Structure formats: structure tokens, C-alpha cells
Amino acid sequence: MTSAHSDPPPVTVRVPGKLNLELLVGPRRPDGYHALSTVYQAVSLFDDVTVAAADEWGVTVTGDRAHGVPADDDNLAMRAARLLSARAGDAGPVHVTVRKGIPVAGGMAGGSADAAAALVACDHLWNVGLSREELELAAAELGSDVPFLVAGGTAMGSGRGELLAPVLARGTYHWVFALGPEGLSTPSVYAECDRLRGSAPVLDPLPNAELMSALRSGDPHILAPHLVNDLQEAAVSLVPRLGDVLDAGMEYGALAGLVSGSGPTVAFLVEDAEAGIDLAVSLTASGVVADIRRATGPVHGAHLIPAPVD
């Protein structure tokens, strides 16, 4: 066993949540996933993941969004650390500490973000030296959204979402997120999407060229009409109050609103920071939403930061 004095110092990685500016859902594939065409944007709601050499594997989850996150081997950050340990010739064990800021079960890929952060952190802790492409390949083994959270920025995803291509996006976009008290499981939302579609044939999805052009403009007014989420109808069907939230946000001045990923978080695009403050105040005062967060995008993916001081 490595002696305590020679253990490498802990490594902390900050990782953002994501929003799907476009989420087009195609037919179910033979492997059970759906064919997707999506455009991701990383936004400034963050988790911090710290990995430290330890005598045994363990995980701790803290923060005001920590409720419901597994603190055992089912935790995605722990699975990521074990995966990289195996790749590095059984380099572990480590203790993983996750400080949550991204909504849990909210359609913003918080668990996937933690897995991305743990991969990057363990790569540095053990000096594995994986390239960004190698990290993204490992990330794809853990979940469809994980490779994007390694990369960050704005990107197009295909396959089941794990195959990435960069997207040119100018400017900074301002978002207001309305967080629900309940979570939604991604499989249940996809199942409801299939149920609502019935037996009608579903075509393979293709990216929207108008959305790509809007992102190149850097203008939120041009982007707003092109935001779309094929899972939104299913999420609203399962949690009808989401329809009220969407209506309220538009009434109070949002340029556009959509359910984030599989929900139940609702994302509103606004003109600028001042408009975001106004919308947040109005939504809170209305009583329709109790928990509001403002964020901007795009931001960088998983990246090293100085270790937090407890």
C-alpha cells in the first residue's frame, strides 16, 4: 500500500450542467436507445468533484441539491473512477467527493457531469495522460451525455447523443431555469414519448440548419424560434404543471421556453442579464415556481480548479 506521505494531492474538477437547444428523438434502436439528433450547450450551473487517494473506495455527496444522489457504487462519478482505475492498471482506490450545484434528475445531466469530472480528475491524479478524444471514448461507456460534459461549449450530438461534432456559437446566451420539486426519470419520459407517438412511423432525426445559422448569429432573438425538444410533450404529460410554468415564463417576457432534456427543469431564454433578473423575480412572485436559477452559456466543460477548503 502506498504510504500516506507519498500520496498525490487531491484533484478537484468543476463541471457544468447542460441544456439541449434542440433534442430530436428518432426511432428506438436495437440496443434499446433512441436515435437522437441534439445540440448541447454547457451552462454555468456547476458541480465540483474531488478525488483523493484513499485506503478504500468511497463517495460523499454534499450541497443543497444532493438529495437523492446515490452515495455508493451506483454513483456515476464512482463508476467513472473505477473505470479509469481499470484502464490505468488498478490505480485506485480513491474517495470521491461531489459538491452538487446542478439540479438532480432535472434534465441537465448532473450525474453525467459528475462522471465527466471524475474521469478528468482521476486522469490527473494518476497521471494517465489520456487525450481529450480518449477521455470522450471512455465517457461514452458511462452514458450518452458524458462525452459532451468533458468537452463543454456548444456541440451537436448524434447516435444516442455520444457522437460529438463542434458547433460554432457566437456570443453569450442568458438562461433562467425553473426547477421543480420532483424529479423525472429519463427512461420514463422516453417511454411516454413512445406511448404518445403510438404506431406511427418515426424517421431518423436530422439537425436543423436554421438553428445552426441562429447560433452563428449570436442573437438570442434569432435563436429563440428554433429551440425544440421532442421530449417536452411527454414530460408535460407526466408532470402537467410544467405546462403552467412554460406559459408563465412566456407571459413574463421570456424569448422562448422549453423543457430541459427529459425534464422537469424548464429553461427560458432571455435577452440579457437584466431580463433574466426580471423574469426570475416575476416567476418567484407568481408562486408558480419556488426555485429559480440564472445561468449563461456556453461555458467550458470539465476543468481543473484549486481544491476547495473545507
Side-chain angles (χ1 to χ4, degrees):
M1 183 181 296
T2 304
S3 60
H5 70 271
S6 62
D7 284 343
V11 175
T12 297
V13 168
R14 178 160 292 167
V15 63
K18 63 83 183 168
L19 169 69
N20 298 84
L21 305 178
E22 177 176 79
L23 180 52
L24 307 179
V25 180
R28 184 185 292 271
R29 309 188 322 179
D31 62 5
Y33 291 97
H34 289 71
L36 299 180
S37 176
T38 189
V39 176
Y40 297 108
Q41 185 164 99
V43 296
S44 59
L45 297 178
F46 299 103
D47 285 357
D48 289 348
V49 176
T50 300
V51 296
D55 292 331
E56 59 184 10
W57 292 95
V59 60
T60 302
V61 184
T62 65
D64 62 350
R65 309 298 301 183
H67 178 72
V69 179
D72 53 25
D73 283 348
D74 289 332
N75 184 284
L76 267 174
M78 174 67 83
R79 287 171 53 192
R82 286 184 178 273
L83 173 66
L84 204 63
S85 174
R87 292 281 178 89
D90 293 325
V94 295
H95 192 92
V96 180
T97 301
V98 179
R99 293 168 176 82
K100 295 296 297 179
I102 302 169
V104 176
M108 298 189 73
S112 295
D114 296 341
L119 283 176
V120 173
C122 288
D123 180 65
H124 282 270
L125 184 77
W126 296 323
N127 293 313
V128 181
L130 295 183
S131 68
R132 180 53 57 96
E133 291 75 17
E134 289 169 328
L135 281 168
E136 290 177 8
L137 283 172
E141 297 183 34
L142 295 161
S144 301
D145 295 332
V146 183
F148 172 68
L149 279 314
V150 172
T154 305
M156 182 169 58
S158 58
R160 53 182 170 85
E162 85 286 12
L163 303 175
L164 300 178
V167 169
L168 175 61
R170 291 191 172 93
T172 296
Y173 295 93
H174 296 264
W175 301 95
V176 174
F177 293 97
L179 312 183
E182 68 282 274
L184 268 176
S185 78
T186 298
S188 68
V189 178
Y190 275 97
E192 181 69 0
C193 179
D194 289 339
R195 186 189 73 80
L196 292 171
R197 286 174 166 176
S199 58
V202 180
L203 301 177
D204 285 325
L206 296 172
N208 180 359
E210 292 181 337
L211 174 67
M212 300 301 175
S213 177
L215 284 166
R216 289 193 296 271
S217 77
D219 187 336
H221 294 271
I222 296 175
L223 178 63
H226 303 295
L227 302 180
V228 63
N229 180 2
D230 282 353
L231 293 179
Q232 181 163 304
E233 182 183 4
V236 173
S237 174
L238 294 172
V239 183
R241 71 160 193 87
L242 296 180
D244 298 332
V245 176
L246 286 161
D247 290 344
M250 298 305 296
E251 179 183 345
Y252 293 132
L255 300 178
L258 79 168
V259 172
S260 177
S262 57
T265 300
V266 175
F268 294 105
L269 177 63
V270 294
E271 185 174 38
D272 52 26
E274 183 178 354
I277 294 170
D278 290 343
L279 179 59
V281 170
S282 296
L283 284 171
T284 302
S286 74
V288 175
V289 182
D291 195 353
I292 300 286
R293 306 292 171 93
R294 293 184 294 116
T296 59
V299 298
H300 292 299
H303 57 281
L304 290 172
I305 63 168
V309 178
D310 292 325

